């Protein structure tokens, strides 16, 4: 009964209620009010239709970190994986990418491969331009890759650092070690 009630509330929130905000031109208000509810684990799902609009809004506000923090509080097994993974890659949200792959898909290698692809791109760019921006991104992403490996190998989830389930540890040992 509780699950049905929550599902209906989510459908109502991201259906007619969101539509009213959108039609009246007040989606910014909707998104600003939505954020604290997600960050406080009161809302564990954002619909596939609303999430890209939330990302676009936050990106325009130079607040992509807010989106990533919110994604780390969502129940990723309820997400549309194709659209969310594409969205995360396009916007370089690697921590959330690790989270969705690890928790939602039980895949611990693919997000690391994606991050390494970006690191290799940055190495190629750095060799040509020596840009401080690429150097900083390289250092941040390199640190993130090392932190991910350390956390996974010690049996903790990334980024929350909670104990992994035994079946996840078996996968980690098989795929990463």
């Amino acid at each position: 009964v509780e699950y049905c009630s929550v599902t209906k509330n989510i459908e109502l929130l991201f259906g007619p209620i969101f539509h009213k905000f959108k039609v009246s031109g007040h989606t910014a208000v909707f998104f600003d009010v939505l954020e604290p509810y997600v960050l406080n684990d009161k809302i564990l799902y954002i619909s596939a239709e609303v999430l890209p609009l939330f990302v676009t809004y936050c990106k325009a506000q130079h607040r992509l970190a807010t989106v990533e923090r919110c994604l780390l509080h969502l129940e990723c097994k309820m997400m549309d994986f194709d659209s969310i993974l594409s969205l995360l890659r396009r916007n370089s949200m690697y921590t959330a990418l690790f989270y969705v792959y690890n928790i939602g898909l039980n895949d611990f290698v693919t997000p690391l491969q994606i991050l390494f692809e970006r690191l290799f791109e940055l190495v190629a760019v750095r060799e040509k331009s020596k840009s401080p921006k690429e150097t900083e991104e390289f250092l941040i992403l390199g640190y993130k890759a090392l932190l991910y490996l350390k956390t996974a190998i010690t049996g903790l989830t990334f980024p929350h650092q909670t104990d992994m389930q035994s079946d996840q540890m078996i996968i980690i040992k098989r795929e990463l070690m």
Side-chain angles (χ1 to χ4, degrees), residues 30-43 70:
F30 182 89
F31 292 140
D32 288 339
V33 171
L34 176 69
E35 178 190 336
Y37 282 94
V38 173
L39 293 175
N40 289 304
D41 299 323
K42 302 292 184 198
I43 294 177
C70 285

Side-chain angles (χ1 to χ4, degrees), residues 40-176:
N40 289 304
D41 299 323
K42 302 292 184 198
I43 294 177
L44 300 175
Y45 173 78
I46 298 176
S47 76
E49 295 173 34
V50 174
L51 187 58
L53 299 173
F54 180 55
V55 171
T56 302
Y57 167 73
C58 288
K59 193 173 189 176
Q61 302 290 315
H62 304 287
R63 294 175 39 213
L64 270 178
T66 298
V67 175
E68 193 161 36
R69 276 193 311 275
C70 285
L71 287 169
L72 297 176
H73 286 266
L74 297 178
E75 179 57 55
C76 63
K77 291 183 180 183
M78 297 173 65
M79 296 178 187
D80 171 19
F81 290 112
D82 291 332
S83 62
I84 190 69
L85 293 173
S86 170
L87 190 96
L88 295 173
R89 283 185 85 162
R90 242 187 351 266
N91 292 287
S92 302
M93 291 188 260
Y94 295 105
T95 302
L97 192 75
F98 279 116
Y99 174 71
V100 171
Y101 267 105
N102 292 180
I103 304 301
L105 299 170
N106 232 15
D107 182 345
F108 299 90
V109 173
T110 304
L112 193 57
Q113 290 171 330
I114 292 167
L115 184 61
F116 281 148
E117 286 172 15
R118 179 64 186 145
L119 284 167
F120 293 139
E121 288 171 12
L122 288 169
V123 167
V125 169
R126 279 183 58 218
E127 287 178 4
K128 293 177 186 171
S129 72
K130 304 280 189 224
S131 166
K133 182 181 177 195
E134 279 82 16
T135 300
E136 181 181 0
E137 184 181 359
F138 177 81
L139 292 173
I140 289 169
L141 295 181
Y143 177 75
K144 191 173 300 245
L146 291 172
L147 185 60
Y148 173 73
L149 285 169
K150 177 188 176 250
T151 345
I153 289 170
T154 57
L156 300 172
T157 62
F158 182 82
H160 297 316
Q161 298 197 4
T162 57
D163 289 334
M164 280 189 190
Q165 299 170 358
S166 60
D167 61 325
Q168 291 174 319
M169 278 305 302
I170 292 169
I171 294 169
I172 290 284
K173 286 180 181 177
R174 184 179 67 233
E175 293 180 355
L176 292 180

